Amino acid sequence: MTAVLPAPRTAQAPSAGGPATGRPARRRRRPVRAILRFTGRWSLRMLVCTAVLSFLGLAVGPHVLDYRTMTMLTGSMAPSIEPGDVVVSTPLSVSDVEVGMVITYHIPIDDHRVVTHRVIEVDRTADGTVSVRTQGDANDAPDPWTAVLTGDTAYQVQAVVPEIGNVITALRNDTLSTLFVQLLPVALGVCMLVSIWRPGREDDDTTTAGGAR
């Protein structure tokens, strides 16, 4: 009887992509790259969305909708409103102004600047004139004037957007303005092109690897 011995197994040749021992390491690295790529892509999208929404809300909204925005420059209303915060004010009938409201108005003296302070006293006359005394929450004394609210509308603070006023002020710097207005759109365009191009490249690599097996 003649015994038939099984043919010895030949060692599998390494693929064109590199030695077989390198494949597990490559597979372990791919999830990390995928996570980083996913995080970077969505971070970029969130940054763009935040910038667009901020622009629409602060620059376009007040001209289209019935509200106003103003950056707080002093700490007179701290801690509820800090310097650099943006206050959002909506219209209110002058006859509805009450003690305790935080309103935005022009002071009746000096440069007639706009301030945002809390109403501490309201005086209504028989002819319908409304005068108010105000005070900043952080100030020890009332404002040294009595303001007559002219017209039919006052503006009451409804919301506070923290710190965004500092960002707006910083963007007015010539260098930063050039960076964000001219260079940032170019960088965003390049990132979008890269994100479109890379998935196709990965598909090609996968097809090549599958054909080599």
Side-chain angles (χ1 to χ4, degrees):
M1 180 181 292
T2 304
V4 179
L5 298 178
R9 295 182 180 180
T10 58
Q12 186 177 0
S15 63
T21 55
R23 286 175 180 260
R26 182 180 301 175
R27 289 176 181 172
R28 285 195 297 270
R29 289 195 298 267
R30 282 179 180 174
V32 176
R33 290 204 301 267
I35 292 173
L36 292 176
R37 190 159 49 245
F38 176 84
T39 303
R41 184 182 301 120
W42 279 101
S43 297
L44 178 61
R45 291 174 181 174
M46 291 179 62
L47 177 62
V48 173
C49 289
T50 301
V52 171
L53 291 176
S54 298
F55 174 76
L56 292 176
L58 298 176
V60 179
H63 298 285
V64 178
L65 303 176
D66 205 6
Y67 68 89
R68 293 180 178 179
T69 59
M70 189 190 75
T71 301
M72 195 70 178
L73 301 178
T74 69
S76 61
M77 285 295 294
S80 57
I81 308 175
E82 298 285 353
D85 293 349
V86 169
V87 296
V88 180
S89 304
T90 56
L92 172 75
S93 175
V94 169
S95 60
D96 293 333
V97 173
E98 298 178 354
V99 173
M101 290 182 174
V102 178
I103 64 173
T104 298
Y105 68 99
H106 291 272
I107 68 173
I109 62 173
D110 298 335
D111 56 359
H112 299 280
R113 68 184 182 276
V114 177
V115 299
T116 299
H117 280 175
R118 191 177 303 277
V119 178
I120 60 172
E121 182 181 333
V122 180
D123 181 23
R124 295 180 174 88
T125 61
D127 61 357
T129 301
V130 178
S131 302
V132 296
R133 296 289 306 278
T134 58
Q135 180 176 347
D137 290 352
N139 294 343
D140 296 330
D143 298 323
W145 60 73
T146 298
V148 178
L149 301 180
T150 59
D152 299 326
T153 304
Y155 280 85
Q156 180 185 8
V157 174
Q158 298 288 357
V160 179
V161 184
E163 297 295 337
I164 197 169
N166 291 328
V167 177
I168 296 172
T169 302
L171 290 178
R172 291 174 180 170
N173 178 276
D174 292 339
T175 302
L176 291 179
S177 178
T178 301
L179 174 64
F180 281 92
V181 174
Q182 298 181 15
L183 299 183
L184 184 58
V186 174
L188 292 176
V190 171
C191 290
M192 290 180 181
L193 289 176
V194 170
S195 65
I196 295 173
W197 173 70
R198 286 184 66 86
R201 184 178 180 183
E202 290 176 0
D203 292 342
D204 292 342
D205 292 343
T206 303
T207 303
T208 302
R213 290 177 183 175

